Amino acid sequence: DQQVKQNSPSLSVQEGRISILNCDYTNSMFDYFLWYKKYPAEGPTFLISISSIKDKNEDGRFTVFLNKSAKHLSLHIVPSQPGDSAVYFCAASAYGNKLVFGAGTILRVKS
Amino acid sequence: SQTIHQWPATLVQPVGSPLSLECTVEGTSNPNLYWYRQAAGRGLQLLFYSVGIGQISSEVPQNLSASRPQDRQFILSSKKLLLSDSGFYLCAWSVRRQGGYGYTFGSGTRLTVV
């Protein structure tokens, strides 16, 4: 039972353009959503989060949008840089309990 | 400051041998602790989580077990490793913060069972 889904295994974007990574969830009890960036053989690094009481959160080049009715969230990176190339994981939790992760999306930013 | 230590960084073990991976947390008390595994080309799968000393919840049936002998110590073990236990193991902790929850991951252990 995949409660958090990232349906795009990979995404390729030109440097300077916008990267949009998508995530869908099925559990309506989720109230906190996070995006992580991960390089091979390293632990995930926290990028940005959003509570279910909000529909947008912005931090520098990163913006997360939450559409609760559609059970969908997205991460926008503007402008994309080559250093952004990594695997991006969407994750969700209910009341601060265990994080449930999506399968990840590989982002490649071409220079 | 709050930090998480996980060791060893890499491990090569023969099939049938035991396993013990250790994770310790500093700078916080009574955290929730987690063990995740990332198999090759796969996402992060939750294996175990703990909300307190001696309290372990298992997410998937498997060849592994976990223990929490102290508040800030979380151990992942196996009596006999299988080839399918190979993967990248990550320890994490979470604590409530203003506006939500903070989750922090260790640097991971690459386990290869041969």
Side-chain angles (χ1 to χ4, degrees):
Chain A
D1 176 26
Q2 264 192 302
Q3 299 185 64
V4 178
K5 300 178 185 179
Q6 292 177 258
N7 292 319
S8 298
S10 64
L11 175 67
S12 187
V13 173
Q14 198 66 34
E15 180 180 7
R17 306 294 292 269
I18 184 171
S19 295
I20 300 177
L21 298 110
N22 293 303
C23 179
D24 297 294
Y25 62 97
T26 58
N27 188 343
S28 57
M29 303 300 286
F30 287 146
D31 62 353
Y32 196 59
F33 304 88
L34 307 92
W35 283 94
Y36 283 86
K37 177 181 180 181
K38 186 181 182 301
Y39 294 112
E42 292 183 12
T45 303
F46 171 75
L47 277 176
I48 193 169
S49 62
I50 188 167
S51 164
S52 60
I53 63 173
K54 295 185 174 181
D55 54 19
K56 178 183 175 181
N57 189 26
E58 205 169 345
D59 184 2
R61 295 187 297 115
F62 302 93
T63 303
V64 56
F65 296 92
L66 175 63
N67 182 334
K68 281 178 292 184
S69 60
K71 293 191 175 68
H72 177 84
L73 66 154
S74 60
L75 174 68
H76 292 210
I77 306 174
V78 183
S80 301
Q81 300 172 355
D84 295 330
S85 298
V87 180
Y88 287 77
F89 288 98
C90 169
S93 74
Y95 311 115
N97 290 322
K98 55 191 178 182
L99 271 182
V100 179
F101 282 84
T105 297
I106 300 171
L107 174 64
R108 296 187 185 92
V109 180
K110 299 175 288 186
S111 55
Chain B
S1 63
Q2 297 158 335
T3 57
I4 181 168
H5 301 281
Q6 187 180 342
W7 69 93
T10 59
L11 192 59
V12 180
Q13 292 284 100
V15 169
S17 63
L19 172 73
S20 181
L21 301 180
E22 189 163 343
C23 171
T24 59
V25 178
E26 293 179 2
T28 186
S29 59
N30 197 31
N32 289 349
L33 296 172
Y34 311 86
W35 278 110
Y36 285 86
R37 177 173 62 197
Q38 184 182 24
R42 306 284 297 276
L44 294 168
Q45 181 186 36
L46 178 64
L47 301 176
F48 301 96
Y49 70 96
S50 171
V51 299
I53 296 174
Q55 300 178 60
I56 308 294
S57 295
S58 174
E59 286 296 295
V60 292
Q62 58 204 312
N63 185 42
L64 303 168
S65 62
S67 62
R68 186 171 178 176
Q70 300 178 40
D71 181 46
R72 301 174 203 172
Q73 185 184 29
F74 204 23
I75 298 172
L76 183 70
S77 304
S78 173
K79 292 182 179 178
K80 289 185 178 181
L81 283 169
L82 305 171
L83 286 174
S84 58
D85 292 324
S86 294
F88 191 60
Y89 289 82
L90 288 156
C91 178
W93 63 268
S94 72
V95 64
R96 190 180 182 95
R97 292 178 180 168
Q98 185 178 11
Y101 297 87
Y103 294 86
T104 303
F105 284 83
S107 54
T109 296
R110 168 72 60 195
L111 172 66
T112 304
V113 183
V114 297

